[in-house]
Each structure stands twice: as C-alpha cells, then as structure tokens.
C-alpha cells in the first residue's frame, strides 16, 4: 500500500493512500490535514491510476515540490520521492519492481512532456549554502537578538549574558566541551560542533557553519548537517541577517511569517519564506567574528524561541573557543615541525662550511659564523693544494634566512667545482660569476672575496666582487685597505665582466681580516652601529695571532650589541703569518 510519511520534528507519521484522490491541506475536510499556515486550505492531491500515483498542486500559495523541483502540473511519484507542501516535508513510500532503478525514471508534467526524474545529490561532500538576498523580508520575521561582548560592547565575549538560563547554557557548554575534547583536526571539529548542536536542539533540521576566508574576508561554508539522511536541499541563509550578525556581533532569531499572527488569515504568503532559524557569530579571542553558526527547523510546529537563542549564543562561544584552541594547536604543531626542519637545514648548512681550516707551518687561520636566523646567507670556504697554495673564499648573499641560505649552498657547490679546474684568482672569480648569473634569482646577488696565498713565496692574490676590502694589519699596527677601484661588481649581476686582481706580499706578523656587514653594522638597543672606526681600532690594537684577533673582534661586537638580537648574519675570517 502506498503511503505519504510526514517527516517533522525528528518523527515520521504515515498516511495511507487508499482513495482514488487524496487531498492534502489545512482544511478539515481534506483527507490528510496539515496544521500549518504555510499550507493552503486545499494544497495538493495525490491521484491513483492503477499501480501508478501522481501528485498535482491545487493552486497553492507556497507551491508543491518533488525532489526539490517545483511542479506545474500532474507529476508521477516514485518510491522514496521527497514531496514538500510549502515547508512541510513528506516521503512517498511505495516500493515496487518498477521503481527499482530511479535513474531511468521520467516524470509526466502538465503538458505531457517526459523529463528526466531528478535524483537527490549526496550531501556528504558536495553540500551548498545559499545566501539569499532578501533585504525586504528578512527583518520582517526577526523575533529577537542577543548581543555578545566585543570591542566596545558590554558582555562576556561570545557567550552572551550567562545570567540568562545558566543551567541550560552550562549543559550546552559541557556538551560541546566533551564532544570536542582533545580534537585538533580542523576538518573534524566543525562537523562535531554541528553534531553537538543537534543533540542540544532536538528540533533543528539543518545546520551550517561558515568561516571567514583570511585572504578575502568572505564567508565560506565549511560544514553542513541534515537531521534526515538523504535530504536534498541546501541550507539557505538570509544575507541581511548574516550581515547583521557579523557587524553587530549579535545572535538573531527569525521565525516563519506563516506562524506570525499578523498573517494567520492569509491564504497566500509565498513572499515570506524564511524558516524558523537562529544565526549567531563565532567570536575569536580578539572579539572579531571567525564566522557564523546557522541552524533552522522546517517543522512549522516546532519553532525556536528566544531562550533557545540565549543557549545557542553561549554554546557558540564555547565552540569558537574550541575551534580557536584547535587552530592554535595546529599552528603550534606546524611550528614545531618547521623548527625541527630548520634545525636540520642549519646542520646541513653548517656541513657546507669547512670543518677545519688549513694547517700550514708559519700561518694561522680562524673563522666565526653566526646566523641571525636558523640559516643564513654568509659563506666561507678554504682549500689547501698539494703545491702549498691556499685558497680562501668568502661571501655574503643579499638578504638572510632561507632564501639566502639556498643561494649560499649553490655558491658553495660552484666554488668547489671551479677550484677543480681554475686556481687563478681573477679567472676563478669570473667563472664563479658566470655560473651565478645562470638562472640567477632577481635581487639575490653575492658580495665575494677570493684570496689565493702561496705559502712558499707569501704572495697573496685578492679579487673582490662588490665586498668590503679586507683589512690588512701591518706588523707596526697600521691598517691597509685596498682602493675602491679594485672592487668589482657583485656576483650574479652581470655576466662576462672581468675582475681585477690585487697582488701583494704578506709579511711576517701581518694579519688579514675579512668580515661581512653584520660585523660593522651590528646594533645595540639604542640602534647605534658598531661602525668601521671601532672595527679598525680593534684591529689596529692587534693580537699575537689571527685566532686571538678574531676572538677579540667577535667578543667586542657582542659587547656592543649588549644582548640585542642580531639583525644580520655575522661572519668573520682572520688569517696571517706568524711573527
């Protein structure tokens, strides 16, 4: 036997279809009487023709739909079809072999044309939330509002006034807290919030959570729930109410116009289609809206009340707090992961630097490397050749942090490759520059100093590409720096340019200091620079050997900074002949 099953308030009420014509409506003479002002007196009728059943709208004000398609004439019904008379939902129950494959069914419309039978889409993943532009009618059915705390607004954050219904609110807050305890999966926490809300508000039929997109500020649907599996309608939210909730940080209660006493005698109220619904903001820790929670009921006999809105406001506050905590937990976990990866990257970068500097009789070498962040863009390297020559490479990549460290690693590889084939300072620098110009990253140039020392003749070749001149401390304490015209362009700027080579002899007791601008531009808490004059003074005072001189410079820079964090990488290399 065919049945129309009324679905309302989480319950199902079957009505047998036994007559040739079954009239449905609000009038007492109807076969199936529906007590709702949204249903016309004689709204629709079901006609039986042999083994087939058809439904026909009787000119109702709010219309009749089958599987979310509004019908204009007689339409054939199939097993498990969803039939709505205004807001009142029925399920047609008539299992038979002919209905085993709904995908192949057709529906006969008023004109007799055959059209494909609509199939309800799955809502598990492909749900939709429609924002209705209903500026004229939305406010007509707003029954009340609850203000939340916020900037310049008295209250208790997103929890509303806790003095109202404290027991109900406490139960709701505890329900949310238990449901979300230990949850840090942002994809799972929002559906759990809706599950808890449906437990708290047993009359709710549909719910949705929309969150603000950080980039655009637009509300994006993130979760939706239907009480009845297989429900094929999207959630509809009034744009007017949504904007009011966000701008005023207030919860809004809106009711069906059909249940308003002012429209009790109206036969056609199709212009007032806002369901009984509640919409509240989810306020973050800063009082700004993260998004909104919207729940509604399609049961005209179970409308939300103002006390329900008070409870939802408190529950939404706890839900927002739980979501914020989960988001912070996720950020913390990601930060720990990034810190771990950065520590690995720092170790990798340290491995690119020489573990030991050359050990040659009559010479001493020292280097210090301190990055402003986990990784940096400063660089130094050395190589001792079989014939007693020593190559020292020293560079500073523009910028700092991860981008600079990547360029630094590339420079390290290029220098090692070039030194396998070229040892002349000028030619080597030109080759290194050529490779750095190939696929160069805009703005990531490198200042560079290439030094080649013959430990037998003590001749030193120096080639400078955009870097500060090394300081050469003579045995008598005087400081010598190379002229400006000997300094060429930085690496990675222009390909094919020649680089000048300065040749000089390193005397006994003479020491050379190469440094990055992190040394000369180190700042204290008053933002005073360490400065070139102070550096020259420290170098001029000298030390018995290069290692001690390097340590003195390093400690003096730290003394000047006086605990202020580095604003740039600090790298220093000192070397020279023993006295």
């Amino acid at each position: 036997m065919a049945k129309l099953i009324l679905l309302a308030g989480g319950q199902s009420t079957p009505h047998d279809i036994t007559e040739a014509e079954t009239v449905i409506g609000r009038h007492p003479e109807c076969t199936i009487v529906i007590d709702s002002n949204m249903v016309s007196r004689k709204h629709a009728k079901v006609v039986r023709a042999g083994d087939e059943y058809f439904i026909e709208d009787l000119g109702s004000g709010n219309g009749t739909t089958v599987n979310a398609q509004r019908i204009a004439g007689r339409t054939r019904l199939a097993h498990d079809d969803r039939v709505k008379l205004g807001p009142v939902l029925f399920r047609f129950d008539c299992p038979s072999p002919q209905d085993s494959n709904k995908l192949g069914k057709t529906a006969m419309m008023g004109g007799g044309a055959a059209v494909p039978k609509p199939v309800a889409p799955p809502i598990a993943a492909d749900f939709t939330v429609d924002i209705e532009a209903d500026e004229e009618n939305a406010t007509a059915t707003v029954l009340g509002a609850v203000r939340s705390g916020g900037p310049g607004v008295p209250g208790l954050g997103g929890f509303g006034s806790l003095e109202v219904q404290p027991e109900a609110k406490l139960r709701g807050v505890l329900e949310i807290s238990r449901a979300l305890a230990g949850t840090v999966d942002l994809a799972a926490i929002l559906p759990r919030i809706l599950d808890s809300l449906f437990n708290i508000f047993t009359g709710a039929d549909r719910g949705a959570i929309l969150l603000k997109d950080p980039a655009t500020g637009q509300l994006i649907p993130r979760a939706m729930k239907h009480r009845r599996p297989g429900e094929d309608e999207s959630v509809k939210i009034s744009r007017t109410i949504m904007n009011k909730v966000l701008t005023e940080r207030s919860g809004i209660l809106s009711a069906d116009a059909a249940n308003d006493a002012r429209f009790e005698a109206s036969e056609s109220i199709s212009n007032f289609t806002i369901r009984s619904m509640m919409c509240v903001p989810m306020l973050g820790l800063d009082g700004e809206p993260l998004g909104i929670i919207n729940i509604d009921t399609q049961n005209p006999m179970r409308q939300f009340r103002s006390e329900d809105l008070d409870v939802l406001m408190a529950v939404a506050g706890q839900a927002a707090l739980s979501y914020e905590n989960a988001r912070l937990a996720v950020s913390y976990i990601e930060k720990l992961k990034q810190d771990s990866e950065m520590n690995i990257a720092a170790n990798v970068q340290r491995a690119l630097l020489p573990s030991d500097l050359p050990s040659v009789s009559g010479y001493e070498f020292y280097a210090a490397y301190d990055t402003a962040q986990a990784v940096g863009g400063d660089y130094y390297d050395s190589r001792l050749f079989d014939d007693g020559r020593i190559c020292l490479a020293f560079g500073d990549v523009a910028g700092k942090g991860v981008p600079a460290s990547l360029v630094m690693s590339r420079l390290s590889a290029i220098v090692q490759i070039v030194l396998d084939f070229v040892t002349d300072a000028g030619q080597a620098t030109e080759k290194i520059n050529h490779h750095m110009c190939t696929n160069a990253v805009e703005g990531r140039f490198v200042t560079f100093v290439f030094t080649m020392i013959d430990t037998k003749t003590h001749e030193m070749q120096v080639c400078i590409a955009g870097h500060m001149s090394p300081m050469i401390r003579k045995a008598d304490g005087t400081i010598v720096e190379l002229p400006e015209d000997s300094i060429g362009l930085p690496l990675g700027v222009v390909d094919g340019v020649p680089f000048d080579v300065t040749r000089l002899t390193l005397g006994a007791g003479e020491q050379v200091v190469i440094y990055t601008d992190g040394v000369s531009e180190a700042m204290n808490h008053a933002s005073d620079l360490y400065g070139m004059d102070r550096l020259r003074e420290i170098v001029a005072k000298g030390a018995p050997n290069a290692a001690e001189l390097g340590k003195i410079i390093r400690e003096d820079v730290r003394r000047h900074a006086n605990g202020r964090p580095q604003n740039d990488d600090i790298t220093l290399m000192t070397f020279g002949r023993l006295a």
Side-chain angles (χ1 to χ4, degrees):
M1 180 181 295
K3 298 178 182 179
L4 274 179
I5 301 175
L6 174 64
L7 304 175
Q11 299 179 346
S12 59
T13 305
H15 296 275
D16 294 338
I17 307 298
T18 60
E19 301 178 7
E21 289 191 356
T22 300
V23 180
I24 311 168
R26 186 158 45 91
H27 197 279
E29 295 179 355
C30 292
T31 312
I32 300 176
V33 179
I34 304 299
D35 185 16
S36 171
N37 285 333
M38 289 293 285
V39 177
S40 300
R41 288 185 174 87
K42 292 186 178 181
H43 196 107
K45 67 177 180 180
V46 176
V47 179
R48 185 179 66 185
D51 293 332
E52 293 186 322
Y53 293 84
F54 300 85
I55 189 167
E56 181 179 341
D57 188 81
L58 300 178
S60 66
N62 287 320
T64 302
T65 65
V66 176
N67 296 329
Q69 299 278 332
R70 185 158 181 164
I71 63 174
R74 182 171 293 190
T75 301
R76 186 162 67 86
L77 291 174
H79 175 63
D80 213 30
D81 276 348
R82 262 50 175 182
V83 178
K84 289 190 70 175
L85 281 62
V88 180
L89 179 65
F90 290 87
R91 180 172 64 85
F92 181 67
D93 183 77
C94 184
S96 65
Q98 67 179 6
D99 294 324
S100 60
N101 185 1
K102 290 188 66 177
L103 292 178
K105 289 188 174 295
T106 59
M108 298 302 297
M109 307 303 287
V115 298
K117 188 73 171 178
V119 179
I123 64 169
D126 300 324
F127 62 81
T128 59
V129 175
D130 295 335
I131 308 300
E132 297 180 332
D134 55 347
E135 281 71 12
E136 294 183 1
N137 299 322
T139 56
T141 57
V142 172
L143 298 184
V146 174
R147 297 296 292 273
S148 65
V153 180
L156 294 172
F159 295 89
S161 176
L162 295 181
E163 293 82 3
V164 181
Q165 294 197 96
E167 294 181 2
K169 291 182 177 179
L170 179 58
R171 284 195 298 269
V173 169
L174 290 176
E175 167 74 23
I176 285 287
S177 300
R178 282 195 299 266
L180 304 182
T183 304
V184 295
D185 183 359
L186 294 180
I189 196 170
L190 297 179
R192 286 195 183 185
I193 291 174
L194 289 178
D195 290 341
S196 298
L197 290 177
F198 274 48
N199 291 334
I200 296 169
F201 302 100
T202 57
D205 288 320
R206 300 181 298 190
I209 296 179
L210 288 75
L211 297 181
K212 273 189 175 181
D213 187 319
T216 64
Q218 299 294 319
L219 285 179
I220 307 297
R222 297 300 185 190
M224 191 180 82
K225 179 179 175 66
H226 289 271
R227 185 174 295 279
R228 293 178 296 276
E231 174 63 61
D232 58 355
E233 286 196 13
S234 61
V235 171
K236 296 179 174 61
I237 302 177
S238 159
R239 186 183 301 276
T240 302
I241 290 178
M242 185 181 70
N243 291 337
K244 185 179 180 68
V245 167
L246 291 175
T247 56
E248 299 183 5
R249 299 180 181 86
S250 61
I252 297 297
L253 169 64
S254 177
D256 268 332
N259 291 317
D260 194 314
R262 293 174 296 173
F263 307 109
E264 207 166 50
S266 175
E267 179 71 37
S268 176
I269 50 175
S270 57
N271 288 333
F272 298 92
T273 58
I274 298 176
R275 296 158 301 279
S276 177
M277 52 78 72
M278 295 185 292
C279 187
V280 298
M282 293 177 64
L283 299 182
L285 298 176
D286 57 358
E288 291 299 318
L290 300 174
I292 64 169
I293 297 176
N294 186 93
I295 63 174
D296 65 42
T297 177
Q298 294 178 291
N299 185 351
M301 293 167 280
R302 297 190 66 176
Q303 303 294 311
F304 293 124
R305 297 172 296 178
S306 59
E307 49 264 36
D308 294 323
L309 182 62
D310 288 325
V311 174
L312 180 59
M313 197 71 190
V315 172
Q318 180 62 34
L321 182 61
S322 298
Y323 181 78
E324 279 276 76
N325 289 340
R327 191 166 64 172
L328 291 174
V330 170
S331 298
Y332 178 69
I333 293 171
E334 287 296 323
K335 179 65 165 59
L336 291 179
K337 181 180 178 181
Q338 291 175 4
D339 289 345
S340 175
E341 292 175 348
M342 290 303 295
N343 289 334
I344 296 173
N347 292 333
V348 171
Q349 186 176 47
R350 289 281 180 178
L352 297 176
L353 303 176
S355 56
D356 296 302
L357 293 174
S359 177
V360 178
S361 177
Y363 280 82
E364 187 173 46
F365 299 86
Y366 170 84
Y369 182 83
D370 295 311
T371 60
Q373 301 176 14
V375 292
D378 286 0
Y379 159 81
Y380 70 89
D381 204 350
S382 65
R383 180 182 289 193
L384 175 61
F385 294 94
D386 294 337
D387 59 3
R389 289 182 302 162
I390 295 174
C391 170
L392 301 174
F394 191 93
D396 182 1
V397 180
K400 51 183 176 291
V402 174
S405 71
L406 295 175
V407 178
M408 175 268 194
S409 63
R410 183 184 181 198
L411 173 65
S412 173
I414 291 173
V415 170
Q416 290 294 330
I417 292 173
V418 169
L419 289 180
D420 288 339
F421 303 98
V422 182
T423 56
D424 177 79
Q427 294 179 9
T429 304
E430 290 179 19
K431 292 292 185 181
I432 294 169
N433 178 59
H434 170 71
H435 286 289
M436 292 301 294
C437 286
T438 304
N439 299 324
V441 179
E442 184 177 357
R444 294 294 173 181
F445 59 86
V446 182
T447 63
F448 185 72
V449 179
F450 189 98
T451 305
M452 184 69 73
I453 305 170
D454 189 331
T455 58
K456 295 178 180 178
T457 64
H458 310 300
E459 183 186 48
M460 183 171 68
Q461 301 177 34
V462 181
C463 186
I464 305 175
H467 203 82
M468 296 84 66
S469 168
M471 290 185 183
I472 304 172
R473 182 187 181 277
K474 297 294 186 178
D476 60 2
T478 57
I479 303 296
V480 175
E481 297 177 66
L482 302 185
E484 291 287 336
D485 57 8
S486 66
I487 300 175
L489 292 174
L491 303 180
V493 177
V494 180
D495 193 8
V497 296
F499 291 89
D500 293 337
V501 177
T502 301
R503 290 176 170 81
L504 47 88
T505 301
L506 196 61
E510 294 183 354
Q511 300 175 44
V512 179
V513 178
I514 308 177
Y515 56 94
T516 62
D517 54 7
V519 175
S520 57
E521 296 178 1
M523 291 189 291
N524 58 18
H525 291 285
S527 297
D528 298 323
L529 295 177
Y530 182 78
M532 294 297 300
D533 292 339
R534 182 166 177 171
L535 179 59
R536 291 189 182 99
E537 181 181 352
I538 291 295
V539 174
K541 288 180 180 179
N545 52 60
E548 186 172 345
L549 175 60
K551 294 175 182 178
I552 290 173
I553 297 172
R554 189 179 183 186
E555 289 303 318
D556 194 56
V557 171
R558 290 177 176 173
R559 191 179 303 112
H560 171 78
N562 194 26
R564 173 169 176 164
Q566 291 177 221
N567 60 296
D568 200 357
D569 302 328
I570 295 176
T571 305
L572 176 71
M573 178 180 281
T574 57
F575 62 92
R577 288 182 62 188
L578 299 177

